[in-house]
Amino acid sequence: MRIYIPGTWPMLRKLVKTGRFDPIGGTAFALTPRLREAYVSGDDEELEYAAMGEAARASLRLLAVEFGLGEDQVPSRRVVVAADLDDVTLRPDLDDGAVRITGAVPMTAIAAVHVDTEEAEHAVREAAAVVDKADLGDLDAEFLVGEAEDHELAWYSPEEIAFLVDLGDL
C-alpha cells in the first residue's frame, strides 16, 4: 500500500544519516476505504493526492511543535515521505485517510519525498502557528493554512534526498 508519512526537515536529515525514516507515533495516511467513501468522485490518483494532503497538514502540526520548542533553524517546509508498505493498520478513529505503521521505514521502501519550495516558507510558518485553531474551525486560521496548502509540494526521488538535505542546510 502506498502511504504518506508527515515529516520535517530534521527527520529528513536523520533519514539521510540512518537510511530509515522514523514516523512520529507510527502515523501515516493512505487511500483507505473510509477516505474513498468521503469523496463523491475521483480516481485513485486524485484520492492518493488527498491522502498526501492530509499528511502535509499533519506535517504542519509537527512543525508547530518544533517551532514551539524554539527550533528556529528548522526550515519552514512541509515534508511528506511516500512509501510502499504491506504492514499497515487502518485508523478509523482518526482522519479518513489515517493509518498506523510499526517501526521505521527503510530507504528501500521509500518511493518519493515531497517538500515545500523556498517560496512557501513564509506561508508555512504562519500556518504552523495556527493549524490547531484551523482544525477547531477558526476561519482566519483556516485561511492561513489554506495559503500554505496553495503551494504545491515538489517531488524528489529517493536518490535525490541526500542532495536535497545538503542544499537545504546551506
Side-chain angles (χ1 to χ4, degrees):
M1 171 182 271
R2 173 67 48 97
I3 62 169
Y4 300 92
I5 312 164
T8 63
W9 202 262
M11 294 170 75
L12 277 185
R13 280 189 204 119
K14 187 175 178 184
L15 167 64
V16 170
K17 287 180 184 174
T18 65
R20 306 169 358 157
F21 190 80
D22 294 306
I24 303 294
T27 300
F29 298 85
L31 174 50
T32 64
R34 188 168 164 192
L35 181 66
R36 189 179 300 281
E37 288 174 8
Y39 285 84
V40 176
S41 66
D43 61 17
D44 283 356
E45 186 175 327
E46 291 169 315
L47 297 175
E48 292 269 349
Y49 186 78
M52 186 176 76
E54 288 190 27
R57 186 172 276 220
S59 177
L60 282 176
R61 293 182 190 103
L62 296 177
L63 285 169
V65 170
E66 288 187 358
F67 297 154
L69 296 174
E71 297 291 337
D72 292 331
Q73 301 304 319
V74 173
S76 302
R77 298 183 186 193
R78 296 169 296 163
V79 171
V80 176
V81 174
D84 295 313
L85 294 178
D86 293 327
D87 190 19
V88 176
T89 305
L90 298 179
R91 290 291 313 267
D93 56 318
L94 295 177
D95 293 336
D96 291 337
V99 296
R100 174 154 316 220
I101 59 174
T102 56
V105 178
M107 182 67 89
T108 56
I110 294 175
V113 173
H114 305 271
V115 180
D116 274 310
T117 62
E118 187 176 342
E119 292 79 24
E121 286 189 347
H122 177 74
V124 168
R125 185 167 284 277
E126 286 191 344
V130 298
V131 67
D132 288 337
K133 289 180 182 178
D135 290 343
L136 295 173
D138 183 302
L139 295 178
D140 292 331
E142 184 60 42
F143 176 79
L144 291 174
V145 170
E147 290 284 308
E149 291 175 342
D150 284 345
H151 291 273
E152 291 291 326
L153 299 173
W155 178 92
Y156 297 92
S157 74
E159 296 80 20
E160 296 174 302
I161 298 170
F163 299 112
L164 173 66
V165 169
D166 284 344
L167 288 173
D169 286 343
L170 293 178

